[in-house]
Amino acid sequence: MRVLVCNDLHLKPAASDYDIDAVVIPDSVDAVFIAGDLTHRNGEDDIALARRFIDQFNVDLLYVPGNHDHAPMPERVVDNFEHATNGHNVVREYESCSVVGWGCEQRSLNDVLDQAAFPILDPRTASRGARRYQADQSAQAIETALYDLVTDQATVYDAAEDLGIADENIPAFRQSIQTVQETYTHLSDLVGDRSNVVIVSHLSPFNTSFDRHHSKGARKEDREAFHTGSIALKLITKTHDVYATISGHSHAFGYGTGDSETGSPHMLNLGYRGLGIVDISPTTNEFSFVDRNTN
């Protein structure tokens, strides 16, 4: 299966820094996956621009909303296009794999588990030179503790103890964990018992090389070291038969090579204004891509 993938194009009607007409669509493409933030706003002009972008394709198109073009905007964008679908909470069956779309429902995205609220998990407690390392250690500890939780090997209190959460912070931690569990259950229901699933999501999986906060400097209290991907999505890749994830949001390019022997999925984020051709074939263990971003 050959797919044209794009994410975080952030098209703006008043801007001329992205040439829609320059997008080259190979004849061999079987589908188009948009991993969110096709536009930067959700006004009438933005919807018209998004429709112009989609109108140039004549193959199946799955438009997963991002936080800048959250639901219900994609419904208006794809309205009356026979080849295009709002991909939020949608499962599409293709010959080589099942594709699950999961997008955003709101513009503002706060971290489900705000590490800054728990001093033991806050990488800013380390010296500036050690913050990225500390962030990696905290993220791995969170992933391990919550994996044990969703696989019924631990309770919320066990997870809090494993992570060193102070007693006074346990109520806030429990509330955050409940949200993670609810999202995990939702994604689990979408994926079900399907095999070789490809998840197209605006949010990247948690604790990857490309889910760092994309703000710099003082914005958001200097959080660029934080891992901000979806914890629930990462856990789904560990508990279900997920062949690959395709995502965006972080504006950072990254590719995690899958491992069929361990069941680790391929993970791709084409970065800011990402555009690429992706070949997917679980039966031959193929996942390869060519970057087509010329901006």
Side-chain angles (χ1 to χ4, degrees):
M1 180 180 186
R2 176 163 291 179
V3 183
L4 177 68
V5 171
C6 63
N7 60 275
D8 298 280
L9 296 187
H10 288 276
L11 302 178
K12 301 175 183 178
S16 59
D17 59 344
Y18 195 92
D19 187 358
I20 290 178
D21 297 326
V23 176
V24 178
I25 310 162
D27 293 335
S28 56
V29 165
D30 301 304
V32 176
F33 296 159
I34 300 175
D37 286 359
L38 176 59
T39 63
H40 195 65
R41 295 286 187 270
N42 61 355
E44 295 300 325
D45 290 346
D46 303 86
I47 291 171
L49 183 60
R51 287 179 64 84
R52 179 184 157 207
F53 180 84
I54 286 176
D55 192 36
Q56 65 189 318
F57 302 108
N58 58 6
V59 295
D60 191 59
L61 183 146
L62 197 68
Y63 177 13
V64 174
N67 56 300
H68 279 264
D69 50 4
H70 55 82
M73 179 183 174
E75 285 289 355
R76 299 183 63 191
V77 170
V78 304
D79 186 39
N80 292 327
F81 283 121
E82 292 185 0
H83 69 290
T85 302
N86 173 12
H88 183 47
N89 293 332
V90 165
V91 179
R92 300 297 293 270
E93 301 293 347
Y94 294 93
E95 185 175 348
S96 60
C97 60
S98 299
V99 174
V100 172
W102 180 58
C104 298
E105 297 178 334
Q106 58 186 357
R107 181 177 178 83
S108 177
L109 290 178
N110 296 319
D111 294 339
V112 172
L113 178 61
D114 184 5
Q115 296 162 59
F118 309 100
I120 192 68
L121 303 177
D122 190 344
R124 297 172 304 178
T125 58
S127 63
R128 182 168 292 275
R131 285 183 184 178
R132 290 179 70 88
Y133 173 78
Q134 184 60 46
D136 290 345
Q137 297 302 300
S138 294
Q140 187 57 53
I142 292 169
E143 181 180 326
T144 299
L146 269 61
Y147 174 81
D148 289 345
L149 183 65
V150 299
T151 55
D152 297 324
Q153 300 179 66
T155 67
V156 172
Y157 290 100
D158 292 332
E161 182 177 2
D162 290 345
L163 293 172
I165 303 297
D167 290 345
E168 63 269 21
N169 290 329
I170 286 181
F173 178 76
R174 184 171 61 244
Q175 185 175 4
S176 296
I177 296 308
Q178 180 178 349
T179 302
V180 173
Q181 289 177 302
E182 289 172 352
T183 304
Y184 173 85
T185 299
H186 174 71
L187 288 173
S188 179
D189 290 341
L190 281 175
V191 174
D193 59 359
R194 296 177 177 85
S195 300
N196 296 323
V197 173
V198 175
I199 300 178
V200 182
S201 165
H202 184 58
L203 290 176
S204 292
F206 181 71
N207 192 22
T208 60
S209 66
F210 48 85
D211 76 322
R212 305 277 185 181
H213 199 291
H214 64 268
S215 297
K216 299 295 182 183
R219 185 182 175 200
K220 287 288 186 181
E221 297 87 39
D222 196 18
R223 295 191 180 195
E224 61 262 25
F226 285 55
H227 287 278
T228 61
S230 169
I231 299 172
L233 176 58
K234 182 61 174 292
L235 295 175
I236 285 293
T237 70
K238 297 167 72 71
T239 59
H240 290 65
D241 191 355
V242 176
Y243 183 71
T245 66
I246 295 171
S247 59
H249 185 58
S250 64
H251 292 189
F253 174 87
Y255 172 53
T257 306
D259 187 337
S260 59
E261 292 186 2
T262 63
S264 298
H266 300 272
M267 295 184 177
L268 177 64
N269 186 324
L270 290 174
Y272 177 62
R273 287 189 167 167
L275 184 70
I277 305 297
V278 182
D279 287 304
I280 306 170
S281 178
T283 56
T284 60
N285 197 30
E286 179 183 11
F287 188 94
S288 59
F289 62 93
V290 177
D291 192 354
R292 290 293 184 94
N293 190 347
T294 59
N295 289 269

